[in-house]
Amino acid sequence: MSHPVSPLAQPFPEVPAIAGVTPHVVRAGYKDWGRCDLTYVTFTEGTAVAGVFTKNLCCSSEVEIGRENVKRGTARALVVNAGNSNAFTGYRGREAVEQIMDQVAGNLGCAREDVFVSSTGVIGVPLPKDKAREGVEKAFSAAPCTWEEAANTIATTDTFAKGASATAMIGDTKVTLGAIIKGSGMIAPDMATMLGYIFTDAAVEPAFLQECLSAANLRSFSCITVDSDTSTSDTVLAFATGKAGNAPLVTAQSPGADAFAAAIQDVCRQLAHLVVRDGEGANKFIAVSVTGAVSDESARKVGMAIANSPLVKTAIAGEDANWGRVVMAVGKAGEPANRDTLSIGFGGTWAAKEGLPLADYDEAPVAAHLKGQDVTIEVDLGLGEGQATVWTCDLTHGYISINADYRS
Amino acid sequence: MSHPVSPLAQPFPEVPAIAGVTPHVVRAGYKDWGRCDLTYVTFTEGTAVAGVFTKNLCCSSEVEIGRENVKRGTARALVVNAGNSNAFTGYRGREAVEQIMDQVAGNLGCAREDVFVSSTGVIGVPLPKDKAREGVEKAFSAAPCTWEEAANTIATTDTFAKGASATAMIGDTKVTLGAIIKGSGMIAPDMATMLGYIFTDAAVEPAFLQECLSAANLRSFSCITVDSDTSTSDTVLAFATGKAGNAPLVTAQSPGADAFAAAIQDVCRQLAHLVVRDGEGANKFIAVSVTGAVSDESARKVGMAIANSPLVKTAIAGEDANWGRVVMAVGKAGEPANRDTLSIGFGGTWAAKEGLPLADYDEAPVAAHLKGQDVTIEVDLGLGEGQATVWTCDLTHGYISINADYRS
């Protein structure tokens, strides 16, 4: 965390303890930094797991193995290494992950496939097996830590610790969700472009947990972008211990399933927003709201084309209501759009409607809106009922400074 | 041309007069600037025309009309307005274009469809019809100008004038091509993202001229990107007067057709490189060479994913051989790629081969290469015979300064 704290940072929220989940942090020394960099979370027996992973075709061994093992639906532990992504390291990278899985499985007396491993940091350097072994060994006897400590430990270039929580009623039983996430650059959609972990005491069958997570992902992590670049390691995992004692959620028809799905959606949305708020160099949090598209997915794609446009993002950085650049971005999205039915606004004030600049366009409220930290761009395509909101940040000198100086 | 001249600028080349083509420039006063901003080029009767246009769905009236009229295959005049793109201006924008077409057609005694109009500049403000009318009227009696004057007049945010030329032998007849282009931002592929004009005295049937231009476009304008943003006005037109007196080129089988196709390809490549060299904020000219892909088109898409990656472009700006970011960009392209057959190099030195960092990787020559103005990135996917080269520039503080300050 060597960069200045994002002006959009938010304080770490109250994230409650989750029954059946115990986090620990230790210092493995993956990098020459004076901080913990290995996070070890254990789960009681019977914990369900679900996950979404990067679609990047050059993904890490962690992603390959996790994607396979999440299908079994059970978990006993999570290990997160920070400072080394272990990506693009061939068989040596895979060996390091398997060593960690075996070591933890031996300690807990569980199947190796119940141990989930993530790594984040520099690409192309195999995770040092000796450091991993010593770190994991230390973790076995480490005292439990707070969620904020865990959030700080999974972080790399993040400038603030990120967490979220929610509750839901399942029948008469209150279930609790707590979550942490890391990520600030190499953030693009197409799934979950960062490392995020959601923990709950709810009793949920793995298949339904996956259904909830996948649905929430579509309207949260798949709707954010910082720089259009998709990491090779991105992972979001959800763990459900069942310790709340609710009647297990099996399908969307189970009593309380809606409330739980809404809570996981709420947590994912919170986490996704926090990642954007820590976007490299970000000074403004931008919501792009697209309506009138031929479908929700089409609206999302148009929104992402706007959110990924360097010219739109620099215009917002310059507090310039340059709606012409928004028109350009709509047109390049490749989705159905008609210049003559297109309307564009900022902060709730239309600048152009149905293909024409508004004759009585009052720029004053728009100029005032753009000076704020939270900016909205409204686009109505005038074609159908599809809608979506996506989130991004502005593109500033800070992004260049961070990424032209970062050493591989 | 208010920004500092690009460090990658090249002097305006010798572009010869083209028989049957007469350029003129005048001041229409579209913006409050002390320079010519209307370019008027006339062609002798019998001139063939071909064109490629933006794929942006929110394109300008100029593009809509030009795309339609180019199918007729004949041209008598070209009018280029600078300072106002006339895009997203509804029926009023269309009226302004039709007024110019009628005015020129009346003067030359030709069909209005033989008059091609382009406009570049701010989006959303209808081209002022009175200024256009006065400007065109002045152009009718203006003295012919040089190609460099024309290149300066079609420019907007360009920092240097751009031209190119080539010759080809068709039988015993030498034919000559001269060309000018403008563009430095809102430059992405997917066709020709700027305004470019190619003039030749060769006798070429329109259909074959279109075939040559479309083929050249695929390996030139479709292989460059500055910022991944696709303009709403991009146009490349080719005009062939036939004044050289060669036996007309009708198909690829006509004697001399190969030489002419190669010459037009050569000119398009020169023009495309010049646009990248004037990329907003560019300090380095980057060639990304992709081999071993499953097809040439797949190689081009992988190359463009690399060339559009902000993280790759900032790494090159920082002279950092961050091949991990190249891996990331390969993986997000969505084209067939295999982490374990992938090799990456810089300036002819491999950094990683077949999925692993090279054990004996010598960073010294790479570091020296990256300090230069011309940088190459080599990627071998190890899958097939497909290959492509694409060109881009680095992403620097200059890009942010230019685009966060630019006023809509």
Side-chain angles (χ1 to χ4, degrees):
Chain A
M1 300 201 184
S2 57
H3 296 294
V5 172
S6 167
L8 306 175
Q10 296 197 330
F12 196 81
E14 289 293 322
V15 180
I18 305 294
V21 181
T22 313
H24 321 72
V25 296
V26 298
R27 187 171 166 194
Y30 291 126
K31 282 180 68 172
D32 186 20
W33 49 15
R35 48 159 275 198
C36 289
D37 52 7
L38 188 153
T39 306
Y40 177 58
V41 187
T42 52
F43 310 108
T44 48
E45 280 190 62
T47 294
V49 65
V52 287
F53 300 88
T54 186
K55 289 182 182 159
N56 192 302
L57 292 170
C58 295
C59 66
S60 66
S61 295
E62 283 82 341
V63 167
E64 284 182 337
I65 295 172
R67 190 185 279 137
E68 194 57 35
N69 290 342
V70 81
K71 295 177 190 161
R72 300 174 65 253
T74 58
R76 287 297 307 283
L78 166 70
V79 175
V80 184
N81 305 299
N84 183 321
S85 79
N86 197 38
F88 208 55
T89 55
Y91 67 91
R92 286 175 291 178
R94 192 170 180 99
E95 284 177 359
V97 180
E98 290 174 339
Q99 172 191 292
I100 292 173
M101 293 165 67
D102 286 336
Q103 189 181 359
V104 172
N107 184 267
L108 296 180
C110 68
R112 77 194 307 215
E113 292 83 1
D114 284 345
V115 180
F116 289 81
V117 180
S118 303
S119 302
T120 175
V122 170
I123 292 175
V125 181
L127 192 74
K129 289 202 271 189
D130 51 345
K131 289 183 178 171
R133 186 183 301 279
E134 286 169 31
V136 170
E137 194 61 37
K138 271 196 275 187
F140 291 153
S141 55
C145 70
T146 64
W147 286 122
E148 185 168 5
E149 286 172 309
N152 272 312
T153 302
I154 66 171
T156 54
T157 56
D158 304 61
T159 74
F160 63 96
K162 303 175 186 70
S165 67
T167 60
M169 292 304 294
I170 300 178
D172 294 335
T173 310
K174 184 174 91 167
V175 302
T176 306
L177 295 83
I180 56 175
I181 197 163
K182 66 86 52 179
S184 65
M186 211 179 274
I187 298 293
D190 219 17
M191 54 71 49
T193 39
M194 67 275 116
L195 301 182
Y197 307 101
I198 300 161
F199 311 99
T200 178
D201 54 9
V204 191
E205 286 292 312
F208 183 60
L209 186 61
Q210 183 67 51
E211 189 179 322
C212 291
L213 181 64
S214 296
N217 173 53
L218 278 184
R219 293 190 160 266
S220 57
F221 306 119
S222 291
C223 290
I224 64 170
T225 181
V226 167
D227 52 13
S228 79
D229 277 337
T230 302
S231 162
T232 52
S233 301
D234 304 325
T235 299
V236 175
L237 293 169
F239 301 95
T241 65
K243 290 293 169 188
N246 59 285
L249 301 178
V250 180
T251 70
Q253 281 68 51
S254 301
D258 283 357
F260 180 77
I264 202 165
Q265 161 83 56
D266 179 21
V267 165
C268 287
R269 182 77 61 99
Q270 291 180 56
L271 294 177
H273 285 196
L274 288 170
V275 170
V276 171
R277 287 188 171 276
D278 206 6
E280 290 173 339
N283 282 325
K284 292 179 191 290
F285 180 85
I286 306 170
V288 182
S289 166
V290 179
T291 54
V294 296
S295 70
D296 287 356
E297 179 59 13
S298 182
R300 189 186 73 84
K301 286 181 179 167
V302 170
M304 291 302 298
I306 296 167
N308 275 325
S309 162
L311 288 171
V312 171
K313 291 154 78 87
T314 48
I316 301 299
E319 302 180 347
D320 176 10
N322 194 323
W323 57 268
R325 295 187 185 176
V326 180
V327 175
M328 173 279 299
V330 170
K332 75 165 184 167
E335 290 297 309
N338 181 339
R339 189 189 64 196
D340 297 333
T341 61
L342 178 60
S343 301
I344 291 169
F346 298 90
T349 304
W350 292 111
K353 274 205 137 177
E354 296 179 351
L356 285 173
L358 279 189
D360 59 349
Y361 170 46
D362 178 6
E363 200 173 344
V366 171
H369 174 71
L370 292 181
K371 286 194 192 306
Q373 271 190 341
D374 284 273
V375 170
T376 65
I377 301 175
E378 293 92 24
V379 173
D380 189 277
L381 299 175
L383 299 176
E385 299 298 315
Q387 54 181 296
T389 300
V390 307
W391 299 274
T392 189
C393 54
D394 54 344
L395 174 57
T396 70
H397 285 289
Y399 184 85
I400 308 294
S401 297
I402 291 168
N403 287 300
D405 299 343
Y406 172 89
R407 188 74 192 90
S408 66
Chain B
M1 300 201 182
S2 57
H3 297 293
V5 173
S6 168
L8 306 175
Q10 296 197 331
F12 196 81
E14 289 293 322
V15 179
I18 306 294
V21 181
T22 313
H24 322 73
V25 296
V26 298
R27 189 172 166 194
Y30 292 126
K31 281 180 68 173
D32 187 20
W33 50 13
R35 45 159 277 199
C36 289
D37 51 8
L38 189 153
T39 306
Y40 177 58
V41 188
T42 52
F43 311 108
T44 47
E45 280 190 62
T47 293
V49 65
V52 288
F53 299 89
T54 187
K55 289 182 181 160
N56 191 302
L57 292 171
C58 295
C59 66
S60 65
S61 295
E62 282 82 341
V63 167
E64 285 181 338
I65 295 171
R67 190 185 279 137
E68 194 57 35
N69 290 342
V70 81
K71 294 177 190 161
R72 301 174 65 252
T74 57
R76 286 297 306 282
L78 167 70
V79 175
V80 184
N81 306 298
N84 184 320
S85 79
N86 198 36
F88 207 57
T89 54
Y91 67 91
R92 284 175 292 176
R94 193 170 180 98
E95 284 177 359
V97 179
E98 290 174 339
Q99 172 192 292
I100 292 173
M101 292 166 66
D102 286 336
Q103 188 180 1
V104 172
N107 185 267
L108 296 179
C110 66
R112 75 192 308 212
E113 293 83 2
D114 284 345
V115 180
F116 289 82
V117 180
S118 303
S119 303
T120 176
V122 170
I123 292 176
V125 181
L127 192 74
K129 288 202 270 187
D130 51 344
K131 289 182 179 171
R133 186 183 302 280
E134 285 169 32
V136 169
E137 194 62 35
K138 272 195 274 187
F140 291 154
S141 55
C145 71
T146 65
W147 286 122
E148 185 167 5
E149 286 172 308
N152 272 312
T153 302
I154 66 172
T156 54
T157 58
D158 305 62
T159 74
F160 63 95
K162 304 175 185 71
S165 67
T167 60
M169 292 303 295
I170 301 178
D172 294 334
T173 309
K174 185 173 91 167
V175 301
T176 305
L177 295 83
I180 57 175
I181 197 163
K182 66 87 52 179
S184 65
M186 211 179 274
I187 298 294
D190 219 18
M191 55 69 50
T193 40
M194 66 275 116
L195 301 183
Y197 307 100
I198 301 163
F199 310 99
T200 177
D201 54 9
V204 191
E205 287 291 311
F208 182 61
L209 186 62
Q210 184 66 52
E211 188 180 321
C212 291
L213 180 63
S214 296
N217 173 51
L218 278 183
R219 294 190 160 265
S220 56
F221 306 118
S222 291
C223 290
I224 65 170
T225 181
V226 166
D227 52 13
S228 78
D229 276 337
T230 302
S231 162
T232 51
S233 301
D234 304 326
T235 298
V236 175
L237 294 169
F239 302 94
T241 66
K243 290 294 170 189
N246 59 285
L249 301 177
V250 181
T251 71
Q253 281 68 51
S254 300
D258 283 356
F260 180 76
I264 202 165
Q265 160 83 57
D266 178 22
V267 166
C268 287
R269 182 77 60 97
Q270 290 179 56
L271 294 177
H273 285 196
L274 288 169
V275 170
V276 171
R277 287 188 171 277
D278 206 6
E280 289 173 339
N283 281 326
K284 293 178 191 292
F285 180 86
I286 306 171
V288 181
S289 166
V290 179
T291 54
V294 295
S295 70
D296 288 355
E297 179 58 13
S298 182
R300 189 186 73 84
K301 285 181 180 166
V302 169
M304 291 302 298
I306 297 167
N308 274 326
S309 162
L311 289 170
V312 171
K313 292 155 77 87
T314 48
I316 300 299
E319 302 180 348
D320 176 10
N322 194 323
W323 57 268
R325 295 186 185 177
V326 180
V327 175
M328 173 278 299
V330 170
K332 76 165 183 166
E335 290 297 308
N338 181 338
R339 190 188 63 196
D340 298 332
T341 60
L342 178 60
S343 302
I344 290 168
F346 298 90
T349 304
W350 293 111
K353 274 206 135 176
E354 296 178 352
L356 286 172
L358 279 189
D360 58 350
Y361 170 47
D362 179 7
E363 200 174 344
V366 172
H369 174 71
L370 291 181
K371 286 193 193 306
Q373 271 190 342
D374 284 274
V375 170
T376 64
I377 301 175
E378 293 92 25
V379 173
D380 189 276
L381 298 175
L383 298 176
E385 300 298 316
Q387 54 181 297
T389 301
V390 307
W391 299 275
T392 188
C393 54
D394 55 344
L395 174 58
T396 70
H397 285 288
Y399 184 85
I400 307 295
S401 296
I402 291 169
N403 286 300
D405 299 343
Y406 173 89
R407 189 73 190 90
S408 66

